[in-house]
Amino acid sequence: MQNKTWGQLILRLIIGGILIYAAFSKIVHPQEFYLSVLEYHLVGDTLSKIVALWLPWIEVLVGVGVLGGIWFLPNLRLAQLLFAGFTIILIVTLFRGIHTDCGCFGTAGGRISWLHVLGDVILYFLTTLLVIWEQIVSNVQPAQPNADNQNNSGKE
Amino acid sequence: MALRKKSTLRAVPVFKMVLIIVFAGVLGVFRNFVLPGGIDFGTSGAQHATAQDTLSENLTLEQGYVLYQQGVQFLDARSHEKFQAARIPGAINIPAELTFQEKVERTDSLDISAKYILYCNDAECPLADELYEFLQIAGFQDIHIMVPGFDGWQKAGYPVEGESDAE
């Protein structure tokens, strides 16, 4: 943790903060998020419900992990997966001509648009920047058997 | 340093990622089934099937008028301006320009097990179909589209209200 810089801290605040904020309304109003998922017409009824009850908690855990530096690299990798997944789903849905509500922030977020795609792409690259940063830091510093380094070394 | 190089080759910590996902699932199940306001896994599939079954039950003007006389609620899928100008008496406007959330709020007070008749301008207008799809997703079980729409209704001389109802 001693190599954390202000830049890295700001990126962590942005990514973690957005993920936690995005999850909040979905957890409070799961029924409405389920309807939003269903409106994308990508998965069926039951799978939409599973996504609606599961995805927000992944966002919360990943957001907390990124913010707090807990299991930092695993959470960053999951954040990358989330943003990449959101980007692909939005692009596919836009090309299918479905202009449903985004559901990105639960009941807020407006109808899906290319701006949402751009937002997710930017978040993906910011997360990737953090991953690269973390790996460079891990490579440059001499090996130290402290807990944080072990967390981020893919020891498992 | 050699150890560090090796660690970057294993930079995707799959096990911890899986643990996070599994724990998220546990939290999600807890929230849904222990705390109030969760998603109902038991009934919605059946509701959708019922709604799908009624999809073929498009209504003629005459059928629509009979149901109107019985007090069935009409839902107007046209724009707010057209609705203000003229509408079937007592109809509720749920225009396509509303966001999904606004539609949820507007239909929040409606009984999902009651019968509803949807209409648009005419048979060519797709808005009633879009509204039908939304209501179906929202769990409404007994929804029908009056295909000839408001234009047909008005031409048939059935009652209308609104800014132009003096005619």
Side-chain angles (χ1 to χ4, degrees), chain A residues 22-40 48-57 59 86 101-108, chain B residues 39 100-101 104 137:
Chain A
F24 181 75
S25 178
K26 296 171 190 168
I27 289 170
V28 175
H29 306 289
Q31 186 72 28
E32 288 167 12
F33 181 51
Y34 149 63
L35 292 176
S36 295
V37 174
L38 207 54
E39 281 272 292
Y40 278 82
S48 295
K49 287 173 181 170
I50 292 169
V51 169
L53 74 83
W54 203 327
L55 180 65
W57 287 100
E59 290 177 328
F86 294 153
D101 273 20
C102 176
C104 314
F105 298 100
T107 53
Chain B
I39 302 165
F100 185 78
Q101 178 55 27
V104 169
I137 288 169

Side-chain angles (χ1 to χ4, degrees), chain B residues 129-147:
Chain B
D129 293 313
E130 289 176 17
L131 180 58
Y132 183 96
E133 196 177 332
F134 165 78
L135 293 172
Q136 191 182 22
I137 288 169
F140 283 76
Q141 300 167 41
D142 197 2
I143 42 181
H144 307 261
I145 297 175
M146 190 175 71
V147 178

